[in-house]
Amino acid sequence: MAIRVQQATFDPGVELNALHASNVGIGAVVSFVGYVRDFNEGREVAGMFLEHFPGMTEKSLGKIADEASQRWPLINVEIIHRIGRLEPGEPIVFVGTTSAHRQAAFDACAFIMDYLKTRAPFWKKEDTSEGPRWVEGRCSDQDAAERWKQS
Amino acid sequence: MIRVQYFARYREALGLDGEQLRDSGEFTTVDQLRLFLLARGGVWDVLGEQNLMCARNQELCSLDEPLEEGDEVAFFPTVTGG
C-alpha cells in the first residue's frame, strides 16, 4: 500500500506499469486519474489551489486504503493526491488497485474514490474568470459514498 | 487546553488558522466548543453552516463526539478533493 501527498506532478502511465511490475500474481489493474478542467460550474478556470490538512490527510487516505483492502482481495493499493497550485490539464489524483481478478479491483477503485471525495481533508479553490472561488461539496458525491455502506 | 484549527473557506472567513482555548471543563463535546465559538458572533457565523465538518485528533467525527483535555479539534467546510 502506498500513499503519496505531493506538490509535484506524476506520470499515470508510469504508476500503472509499476503497480503491475510489483507482482506477477496480479491479473487485473484498475486505475482512476482525476484532472484539472478548464471549465467548471459555468466559469472558465485558469487553475486551482489545493489546500489540505497535513497529518490528517495521510491518515485518512491510509484508513480508506485499509478499509478497501479488508473488503476486497487486493494485492496492491496506491493513492497519489496533489496539493498546492495546479494548472488545467494536470493530474490531481491517482488511485490504482490490483487484484487476481477484475471485479475486486474495479469495485475497490470506485470505493476509494467515493470515500476520498467525501472524507479526505482536501479543499479546492479555483482561479476563475470572475475571481477566486472555493469549490462546494456536491450531494451526488455524498450519494456515491452512501452506496458502499454495509448494513 | 484544546487546540482548534480552521481550514479553507472557514480559515479565510475567520482570518485565523487556529487557536488554543483554555478548557475548564465546559467543552464536553465538539458541539459545545462549536457553540462557544459561534457565540462570538460576526464572522463566526460560518460555524453555524449546515454542511460543517469536524475532526477530533485528526479523525472525522460527529458534533456529539466527547472532548477531553489536550484534544485537537478541526472545523472545515465539506471536503472537495479528488
Side-chain angles (χ1 to χ4, degrees), chain A residues 17-108:
Chain A
N17 289 334
L19 268 175
H20 175 251
S22 65
N23 186 328
V24 285
I26 291 169
V29 180
V30 170
S31 69
F32 173 84
V33 186
Y35 293 93
V36 182
R37 292 184 300 149
D38 63 358
F39 196 83
N40 187 31
E41 305 272 330
R43 289 191 200 171
E44 281 177 37
V45 175
M48 67 166 62
F49 189 88
L50 254 151
E51 179 172 334
H52 78 126
F53 182 169
M56 180 173 167
T57 308
E58 293 80 359
K59 262 195 216 173
S60 64
L61 294 177
K63 233 175 109 176
I64 294 167
D66 277 346
E67 200 173 333
S69 302
Q70 280 162 22
R71 285 176 72 158
W72 290 279
L74 303 177
I75 295 172
N76 249 324
V77 179
E78 181 172 358
I79 304 176
I80 305 172
H81 205 298
R82 308 266 312 274
I83 50 171
R85 170 80 193 175
L86 301 178
E87 308 293 329
E90 286 194 64
I92 306 175
V93 62
F94 174 94
V95 173
T97 51
T98 66
S99 189
H101 303 287
R102 71 185 182 285
Q103 202 57 51
F106 270 128
D107 289 350

